[in-house]
């Protein structure tokens, strides 16, 4: 069952969430060696990926307007301040929607994948 | 067993968001150059700069000099700060006497004192010398004059005539030495890059007679001339490749012959060069020696570190080195 999260106050019915922490490590491989040499350059903040449904064009546009902004992500576990890095949206071709009862049944349903940075 | 990553370190100040640094030092270069790529900088042209690079727990001074150029770029949103070492003052200082009848002039002066006087004109006062013999300029009633030339060109014309070497170290001190880029006995290796230690990331080797000169002719002041030559096993029998040194600061035959002999010893040799890439080490600098062993290229032995490029960025810390012997 999806969780209802908010990105900058806009509802997202989240059904997928992942986090990644990707340190930048350069690997050097000397000739004839069996072991690599590793240089740690830096470790950026976590990358979050949130997947879910957004109902209605208005909500989708509000979500898309957060691109490159620092906004508040409200989850079931609390709030985080995040940078919105990337937003992908796919229209789900459904005959009607009963997910958000405050919106018409004919409101479009979008599957969004949002990449955030802490 | 997997190695713990080494954390890169730098203490470059007045630059925010340092993305990388490239430092180039070479035996035959007039000065060392550093290029710092960062997001932004508060440095201005002419500001003094000095910094270390390396790893946390293993780093040291790599450069000292002045800011010479600042370039800002979009859309990459970075700033490139180009710096040059202390001796750039000698390159920038143009010797132009107020009265052309009375230019910079010296007589009966030793080489090391003449070079010091020229450097002082460019406000370079940190200087030391270690020369193999005494050579006096402006003798027999003549004098050495310089005008309408840079201080660096003036000093180099004297130093090159004797096949000596003038350079600036990382602390901003200028050195005059008789050091040559080949072994003359007594050298000790500061580094070892060999197969067993697995230190070499890339290596290539080349050998050429292109720069070999087995005859040197010197033309000096007022028809003074001298020459020196020797047969070379790398050239056809009886064939001589000639280098010419023509300068009015050579004022007697003895001096001309001395210069011809010194330069013949310097030029009459094969050029063997080795290019290699190793893990970065701030200690690697030209004019030191390294023992290099590679079973594929068969280049075992002592090599002179001629040029070093320190690359310090998101690809790690590497040194691209050129060695000669």
């Amino acid at each position: 069952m999806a969780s209802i999260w908010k990105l900058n106050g806009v509802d997202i019915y989240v059904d997928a969430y992942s986090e990644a922490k990707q340190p930048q490590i350069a690997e050097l491989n000397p000739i004839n060696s069996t072991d690599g040499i590793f240089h740690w350059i830096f470790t950026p903040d976590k990358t979050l990926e949130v997947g879910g449904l957004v109902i209605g064009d208005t909500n989708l546009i509000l979500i898309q307007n957060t691109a490159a902004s620092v906004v508040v992500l409200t989850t079931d576990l609390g709030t985080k301040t995040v940078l919105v890095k990337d937003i992908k949206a796919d229209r789900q071709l459904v005959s009607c929607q009963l997910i958000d009862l405050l919106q018409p049944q004919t409101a479009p349903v979008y599957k969004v994948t949002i990449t955030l940075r802490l | 067993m997997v190695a713990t990553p080494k954390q890169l370190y730098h203490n470059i100040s007045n630059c925010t968001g340092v993305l990388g640094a490239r430092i180039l030092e070479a035996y035959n270069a007039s000065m060392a150059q550093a290029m710092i790529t960062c997001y932004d900088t508060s440095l201005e042209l002419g500001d003094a700069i000095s910094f270390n690079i390396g790893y946390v727990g293993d780093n040291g001074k790599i450069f000292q000099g002045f800011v010479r150029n600042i370039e800002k770029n979009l859309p990459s949103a970075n700033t490139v700060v180009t710096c040059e070492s202390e001796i750039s003052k000698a390159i920038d200082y143009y010797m132009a006497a107020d009265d052309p009848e009375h230019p910079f002039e010296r007589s009966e002066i030793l080489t090391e004192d003449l070079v010091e006087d020229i450097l002082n004109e460019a406000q370079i006062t940190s200087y030391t010398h270690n020369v193999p013999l005494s050579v006096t300029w402006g003798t027999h009633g003549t004098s050495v004059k310089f005008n309408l030339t840079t201080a660096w060109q003036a000093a180099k014309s004297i130093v090159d005539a004797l096949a000596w070497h003038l350079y600036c170290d990382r602390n901003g001190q200028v050195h005059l030495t008789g050091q040559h880029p080949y072994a003359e006995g007594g050298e000790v290796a500061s580094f070892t890059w060999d197969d067993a230690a697995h230190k070499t990331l890339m290596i290539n080797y080349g050998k050429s007679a292109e720069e070999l000169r087995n005859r040197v002719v010197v033309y000096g002041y007022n028809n003074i001339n001298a020459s020196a030559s020797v047969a070379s096993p790398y050239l056809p029998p009886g064939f001589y490749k000639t280098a010419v040194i023509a300068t009015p600061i050579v004022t007697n035959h003895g001096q001309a012959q001395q210069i011809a002999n010194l330069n013949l010893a310097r030029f009459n040799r094969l050029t063997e060069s080795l290019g290699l890439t190793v893990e970065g080490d701030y200690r690697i600098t030209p004019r030191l020696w390294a023992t290099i062993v590679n079973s594929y290229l068969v280049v075992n032995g002592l090599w002179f570190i001629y040029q070093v490029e320190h690359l310090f960025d998101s690809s790690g810390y590497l040194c691209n080195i050129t060695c000669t012997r």
Side-chain angles (χ1 to χ4, degrees):
Chain A
M1 180 180 161
S3 235
I4 306 175
W5 292 7
K6 292 181 188 293
L7 184 69
N8 205 32
V10 180
D11 286 348
I12 306 175
Y13 295 83
V14 173
D15 57 20
Y17 173 75
S18 64
E19 289 186 5
K21 196 145 174 93
Q22 295 164 305
Q24 184 163 0
I25 298 175
E27 181 172 347
L28 312 177
N29 293 295
I31 297 167
N32 284 335
S33 70
T34 53
D35 301 318
I37 299 169
F38 300 100
H39 288 178
W40 178 81
I41 315 298
F42 70 96
T43 301
D45 295 327
K46 280 193 285 191
T47 299
L48 315 180
E49 196 154 285
V50 174
L53 297 177
V54 170
I55 311 299
D57 281 328
T58 302
N59 283 341
L60 178 66
I61 290 168
L62 287 172
I63 293 276
Q64 288 172 331
N65 286 345
T66 64
S69 301
V70 176
V71 297
V72 173
L73 175 70
T74 305
T75 75
D76 54 335
L77 297 178
T79 59
K80 305 175 200 286
T81 302
V82 294
L83 167 69
V84 181
K85 269 206 77 178
D86 187 59
I87 302 166
K88 291 188 185 62
D90 294 306
R91 174 103 186 262
Q92 306 297 294
L93 298 174
V94 297
S95 54
C96 72
Q97 69 87 17
L98 295 172
I99 301 168
D100 183 351
L101 297 177
L102 296 177
Q103 298 204 48
Q105 291 182 12
T106 53
V109 176
Y110 296 95
K111 170 82 171 155
V112 297
T113 304
I114 305 169
T115 305
L116 307 166
R117 286 290 301 278
L118 275 177
Chain B
M1 191 174 87
V2 68
T4 303
K6 297 181 186 179
Q7 184 176 343
L8 297 194
Y9 171 88
H10 73 83
N11 67 349
I12 299 171
S13 55
N14 300 311
C15 293
T16 53
V18 173
L19 298 167
R22 173 179 177 265
I23 301 96
L24 184 63
E25 304 171 290
Y27 170 84
N28 65 338
S30 54
M31 59 191 170
Q33 191 177 65
M35 291 175 65
I36 302 164
T37 305
C38 58
Y39 173 67
D40 197 5
T41 183
S42 58
L43 290 168
E44 294 292 346
L45 297 180
D47 282 354
I49 183 168
S50 167
F51 58 91
N52 295 7
I53 63 171
Y55 312 95
V56 171
D58 182 19
N59 58 84
K61 190 172 188 178
I62 192 83
F63 183 84
Q64 175 175 315
F66 302 97
V67 176
R68 304 295 297 193
N69 190 56
I70 299 174
E71 186 183 304
K72 291 182 182 280
N73 302 295
L74 277 178
S76 50
N78 65 38
T79 301
V80 179
V81 181
T82 303
C83 313
E84 294 173 349
S85 58
E86 176 82 15
I87 207 158
S88 62
K89 290 198 289 190
I91 296 165
D92 284 347
Y93 184 81
Y94 196 68
M95 301 173 77
D98 291 336
D99 177 1
E101 296 300 318
H102 296 94
F104 176 95
E105 181 177 359
R106 296 290 186 274
S107 58
E108 298 293 340
I109 185 169
L110 291 171
T111 306
E112 53 270 32
D113 296 330
L114 179 55
V115 169
E116 183 173 16
D117 282 359
I118 293 171
L119 292 174
N120 286 345
E121 293 284 307
Q123 298 185 353
I124 295 173
T125 54
S126 181
Y127 165 78
T128 184
H129 57 83
N130 179 16
V131 295
L133 48 96
S134 294
V135 177
T136 305
W137 300 84
T139 59
H140 299 85
T142 64
S143 62
V144 178
K145 300 178 187 178
F146 291 106
N147 199 29
L148 304 181
T149 183
T150 66
W152 173 252
Q153 286 168 330
K156 276 284 280 177
S157 65
I158 301 160
V159 171
D160 284 351
L162 297 174
W164 288 356
H165 184 49
L166 188 68
Y167 72 98
C168 182
D169 68 18
R170 289 178 178 176
N171 294 314
Q173 185 170 59
V174 178
H175 299 253
L176 174 64
T177 79
Q179 185 183 34
H180 297 120
Y182 45 81
E184 293 172 289
E187 293 83 11
V188 175
S190 301
F191 306 96
T192 299
W193 297 309
D194 64 16
D195 295 343
H198 311 307
K199 294 289 186 68
T200 311
L201 292 144
M202 182 281 295
I203 188 167
N204 62 64
Y205 168 73
K207 189 160 65 172
S208 168
E210 190 173 333
E211 293 181 6
L212 186 154
R213 298 291 184 270
N214 60 338
R215 177 172 176 257
V216 175
V217 176
V218 177
Y219 298 130
Y221 175 78
N222 199 24
N223 291 328
I224 287 167
N225 63 84
S227 68
S229 63
V230 67
S232 170
Y234 306 111
L235 297 175
F239 188 80
Y240 294 88
K241 290 174 73 171
T242 302
V244 174
I245 299 169
T247 172
I249 62 175
V250 175
T251 54
N252 66 77
H253 287 286
Q255 191 180 54
Q257 190 61 59
Q258 189 177 36
I259 288 171
N261 294 342
L262 286 170
N263 279 278
L264 182 66
R266 177 186 168 196
F267 291 132
N268 182 32
R269 53 189 60 247
L270 214 55
T271 304
E272 281 189 272
S273 66
L274 202 61
L276 68 160
T277 301
V278 300
E279 184 187 14
D281 184 344
Y282 71 93
R283 298 170 190 83
I284 301 173
T285 184
R287 304 172 195 90
L288 297 180
W289 294 85
T291 297
I292 299 174
V293 177
N294 184 275
S295 52
Y296 173 69
L297 296 178
V298 194
V299 293
N300 306 350
L302 196 64
W303 288 79
F304 180 79
I305 298 175
Y306 195 89
Q307 175 175 295
V308 185
E309 180 187 34
H310 295 262
L311 289 173
F312 184 88
D313 58 24
S314 59
S315 299
Y317 178 21
L318 299 173
C319 285
N320 293 327
I321 305 164
T322 302
C323 295
T324 60
R325 69 178 180 188

